[in-house]
Amino acid sequence: MERDVDRLERVVAALQDGGFDALVCALPANVLLLSGYWPVIGSAIAVVTREGRVALLAPADERDLAESGWADDLRTFQPGGLTELVDVPTAAAEPFAALLRAAGLGGVKARVAFEGGGAMEPASYVSLHVYGGAMRTLLENAMRGVQLADGSELIARLRAVKTRREIACIARSCSVAERAFSAGATHVMANASERAIAAAFAAGLEVEARGEERSGGFVFCMSGPDAARAGKAYARSGAREMEQGEVALVHCNSHVGGYWTDITRCYCAGAPDAPAQDVYDAVFEARAAALDALRPGARARDVDRAARTVLERRGYGRAFTHGTGHGVGFAAINHNAMPRVHPASPDILEPGMVFNIEPAVYLDGVTGIRHCDVVALGDRGATLLTPFHTSIGELARA
């Protein structure tokens, strides 16, 4: 893969500004950020030095995939075998120390930033290894006298503003999702179960990808009164079957090559009744207000206020129970990913930020309607990366 020079320059500048000699990351999204490689099982480690050298340690089974990145030095280790039982940190310890020595970090009292805080990580595989506290031990054993610092804030800032290449990759993920949504929408109808509808949408996420692309994701459907629960911390498809005139809230977090989407569309089995029509109208008016407020230098909380004011005026203020958006791309669902489009957010919008706009109304025991788009902010305004099924006419299924 051709190196993302812009990304590497930003990482080096952040290290030099912060007085760090290197940044070490093991969470798959952060390894992708630093090396262009999205790990499968979470045991890979990426290192970038203040001189711009990129080193990557990956499990041997992932070598062919890891070669797709732009590491200057790619090394592998064997996490297990038939001769002994060993955990991942133990297996990685010596190869990791050798990688650091080769990067010029082994025998110096370096100041190193690493993932020292809590994090939300989208799943790259069925099961994901997380080093956690073992990473501190690995670094301390490999670099005697190392000064370790929690790099969570530095990493969050780096992830918040995407490069042109990264935006193109996120747009590609959205494009695959668009085609999957177009196919899945034909399955929204009375008597269809939430699980069947969700499965129809999810099936297209892999079918629409090209060649050997790693793609997939998660899709959930919540219909009728169940849709009112979509504002909670997680979604869940059930066995409930839709009825004519009801709304099916379809929520999708999909990925292509490690770049994630966050998309929600609310389809109606037939024409919506008058109460549902009013909620649709309110949500789309709030969406338009938020999109109109997007520009470089805008305060994220003002964008939230634009959407929230509409819903308050329409009588649905208390039914909008979460922020208007958050960062997307390296994250799937992370309400702390910058920019946080939230009433209390201190964030200022910058060109290169990619995030969602998701005004919603949740009426307990009645229905829930949310419209969640992905947008990329440029120098002159926002580009909608999910320009499909954006009107009630497209969402009502005959």
Side-chain angles (χ1 to χ4, degrees):
M1 178 188 300
E2 184 177 348
R3 175 171 296 202
D4 190 339
V5 176
D6 190 9
R7 170 51 64 200
L8 187 56
E9 288 177 349
R10 295 184 193 186
V11 174
V12 168
L15 290 175
Q16 293 176 351
D17 289 346
F20 296 109
D21 295 292
L23 172 61
V24 177
C25 291
L27 291 175
N30 294 334
V31 173
L32 174 64
L33 175 84
L34 300 183
S35 72
Y37 171 59
W38 189 42
V40 178
I41 59 174
S43 56
I45 306 173
V47 180
V48 177
T49 70
R50 64 183 291 124
E51 294 79 27
R53 182 176 178 80
V54 181
L56 178 64
L57 180 69
D61 287 349
E62 294 184 30
R63 184 180 185 94
D64 58 331
L65 297 174
E67 288 173 346
S68 67
W70 56 68
D72 299 300
D73 185 4
L74 169 60
R75 303 189 181 203
T76 62
F77 71 101
Q78 186 57 255
L82 294 177
T83 59
E84 60 179 339
L85 290 172
V86 61
D87 61 20
V88 170
T90 300
E94 179 48 42
F96 181 54
L99 187 81
L100 292 174
R101 289 193 296 270
L105 297 168
V108 298
K109 292 186 177 180
R111 186 164 183 257
V112 174
F114 75 113
E115 300 156 331
M120 291 188 69
E121 180 68 17
S124 53
Y125 191 60
V126 177
S127 182
L128 182 66
H129 177 269
V130 178
Y131 281 95
M135 181 54 66
R136 175 179 285 275
T137 302
L138 282 171
L139 286 164
E140 289 175 340
N141 289 343
M143 303 171 66
R144 298 297 181 184
V146 65
Q147 298 178 35
L148 297 178
D150 183 350
S152 300
E153 184 176 346
L154 181 151
I155 295 166
R157 291 198 306 270
L158 287 170
R159 287 170 52 146
V161 180
K162 278 68 172 179
T163 66
R164 292 178 61 183
R165 176 189 172 278
E166 290 163 351
I167 292 173
C169 289
I170 298 168
R172 164 74 178 139
S173 299
C174 290
S175 178
V176 168
E178 177 178 353
R179 293 194 291 275
F181 265 73
S182 294
T186 63
H187 294 262
V188 177
M189 61 187 72
N191 301 318
S193 73
E194 294 174 357
R195 289 172 183 160
I197 293 170
F201 278 79
L205 296 176
E206 293 190 18
V207 171
E208 294 296 340
R210 294 186 299 238
E212 296 301 314
E213 285 181 325
R214 289 166 58 200
S215 67
F218 302 88
V219 181
F220 304 94
C221 174
M222 304 173 76
S223 66
D226 285 357
R229 296 187 283 108
K232 299 185 183 299
Y234 64 93
R236 179 183 179 187
S237 304
R240 185 183 186 280
E241 295 183 352
M242 286 193 69
E243 297 180 12
Q244 192 70 15
E246 284 188 335
V247 169
L249 187 152
V250 178
H251 171 75
C252 170
N253 293 110
S254 61
H255 65 83
V256 176
Y259 296 93
W260 288 80
T261 72
D262 189 2
I263 305 167
T264 303
R265 296 292 186 266
C266 289
Y267 300 93
C268 191
D273 58 22
Q277 179 73 49
D278 190 67
V279 177
Y280 268 118
D281 290 342
V283 168
F284 275 107
E285 185 180 345
R287 170 184 181 264
L291 293 177
D292 188 58
L294 298 179
R295 60 184 59 85
R299 297 185 299 182
R301 65 173 176 263
D302 289 343
V303 178
D304 179 272
R305 172 48 50 193
R308 201 167 299 277
T309 296
V310 170
L311 295 177
E312 289 171 349
R313 176 170 50 78
R314 304 273 312 226
Y316 298 117
R318 293 187 177 181
F320 184 23
T321 56
H322 53 67
T324 300
H326 53 77
V328 175
F330 290 110
I333 301 177
N334 182 353
H335 294 93
N336 284 314
M338 295 187 289
R340 295 156 292 184
V341 187
H342 183 279
S345 177
D347 301 338
I348 303 297
L349 300 186
E350 301 177 39
M353 286 182 164
V354 179
F355 50 100
N356 63 351
I357 293 293
E358 53 176 345
V361 170
Y362 308 106
L363 301 176
D364 289 344
V366 181
T367 191
I369 293 179
R370 177 174 73 228
H371 192 93
C372 180
D373 283 309
V374 180
V375 300
L377 193 65
D379 293 329
R380 298 183 179 181
T383 298
L384 186 63
L385 301 184
T386 50
F388 61 91
H389 299 174
T390 57
S391 70
I392 298 173
E394 295 174 291
L395 295 168
R397 315 305 298 177

